Amino acid sequence: FQGMFVLGLPYAILHGGYLGLFLIIFAAVVCCYTGKILIACLYEENEDGEIVRVRDSYVDIANACCAPRFPTLGGRIVNVAQIIELVMTCILYVVVSGNLMYNSFPNLPVSQKSWSIIATAVLLPCAFLKNLKAVSKFSLLCTLAHFVINILVIAYCLSRARDWAWDKVKFYIDVKKFPISIGIIVFSYTSQIFLPSLEGNMQNPKEFHCMMNWTHIAACILKGLFALVAYLTWADETKEVITDNLPSTIRAVVNIFLVAKALLSYPLPFFAAVEVLERSLFQDGNRAFFPNCYGGDGRLKSWGLTLRCALVVFTLLMAIYVPHFALLMGLTGSLTGAGLCFLLPSLFHLKLLWRKLLWHHVFFDVAIFVIGGICSISGFIHSLEGLIEAFR
């Protein structure tokens, strides 16, 4: 929940003011609820009246909702959304790496695109990843870097507390740009695609609801404080990536940690995207579109490795030609984040558990679906308009 993308939250406050802060809280409440109902869709009551786990993944839930007429349609839609979300996350890590290095060393004759190419060269070995064991080591280092970054940024903001611009926090919103903020905030909470696996691996799955409550409360408080404190420090000068506002000396140190964090964060979504692609296109039994990219001995075939390398290069090309961190995050959050966090869980819950739902559950599900749909459409349109305007 507390990833790189908290860096874009002060930018969301810039265009949303107090409503942006409210949205950070609202998104936490809704995402916590939809995470719980998504897990509820994994279970059914057996003949003895016991609640048992009959599904293992988001894809299984989607397929169950579309059966019997279209038994694989739902899973394919979810797979496409997952791949878009994961690949866009990888692209954002390359974008932010290039942006941070360029702003840290503006006197060097190296462009932002060149920095992105250097970052991608460092990331190319990700194509050789075989399991989550190696990825977890990167994630541990990534977490340590994140603590250092947060402490440095918040400490600097607190040192300027006397100059905080409380009068700049608005009660009105920028109608044109606020929908982009919605996408940014939603994207910072997206975790639904990992929840079925997480709940299935818990030693005591009955504690899942308690875990969801406390993690979302903690994330909400930390995100809200970080966004507000950073915005109060720079007010209307707040940039897409908040570290760009720091003085050059501190910025260089923080940005180096941020680049390290971005590079260490990249393997997880990349590995997850590769797994989804391989499972849906290469390993789906007789329904696979292409032959298996693993040999009989379990080794990755040369052309399979080539496809992985091509995916790394694709993230680079996208980062070079669409180098706008906040707009990309808003677009992704509106397109797939809202779908995976709001729309699909509420729809699946209504479809699979309709007969057992109380009236207030039905009301919440319908309300979340409608509000999520409006936010998704408006955020997507305005983020797209923002990207077009940025290119012009």
Side-chain angles (χ1 to χ4, degrees), residues 67-187:
R69 290 188 177 181
F70 308 102
T72 61
L73 177 62
R76 288 177 181 175
I77 292 172
V78 169
N79 272 336
V80 170
Q82 286 180 332
I83 290 167
I84 292 173
E85 174 120 344
L86 293 166
V87 172
M88 286 296 286
T89 303
C90 292
I91 293 167
L92 282 166
Y93 285 135
V94 179
V95 169
V96 79
S97 297
N99 177 285
L100 291 169
M101 291 303 293
Y102 178 72
N103 285 290
S104 298
F105 306 102
N107 297 325
L108 292 179
V110 183
S111 66
Q112 183 172 331
K113 292 180 180 179
S114 299
W115 280 118
S116 295
I117 293 170
I118 294 170
T120 307
V122 175
L123 294 169
L124 205 55
C126 289
F128 296 90
L129 289 172
K130 292 183 178 180
N131 52 55
L132 279 172
K133 187 175 181 180
V135 177
S136 65
K137 295 176 182 177
F138 293 121
S139 297
L140 174 61
L141 295 172
C142 171
T143 304
L144 296 174
H146 185 77
F147 275 113
V148 174
I149 294 160
N150 275 8
I151 290 169
L152 289 174
V153 173
I154 291 175
Y156 177 80
C157 291
L158 291 174
S159 71
R160 293 185 53 189
R162 292 182 180 180
D163 303 322
W164 280 357
W166 285 99
D167 58 316
K168 294 289 185 178
V169 186
K170 306 180 288 289
F171 280 98
Y172 62 91
I173 62 172
D174 186 331
V175 177
K176 187 176 181 181
K177 293 186 177 180
F178 182 63
I180 301 172
S181 301
I182 296 174
I184 292 171
I185 292 168
V186 170
F187 191 64

Side-chain angles (χ1 to χ4, degrees), residues 327-374:
L327 292 174
L328 265 179
M329 189 161 59
L331 183 69
T332 307
S334 301
L335 183 64
T336 60
L340 292 169
C341 289
F342 297 161
L343 304 181
L344 293 181
S346 55
L347 186 63
F348 294 163
H349 196 227
L350 288 169
K351 171 70 174 175
L352 294 175
L353 301 173
W354 172 260
R355 295 180 180 179
K356 299 178 183 179
L357 297 180
L358 300 175
W359 70 268
H360 61 275
H361 290 142
V362 175
F363 173 78
F364 288 149
D365 289 351
V366 172
I368 289 170
F369 186 85
V370 172
I371 294 171
I374 294 170

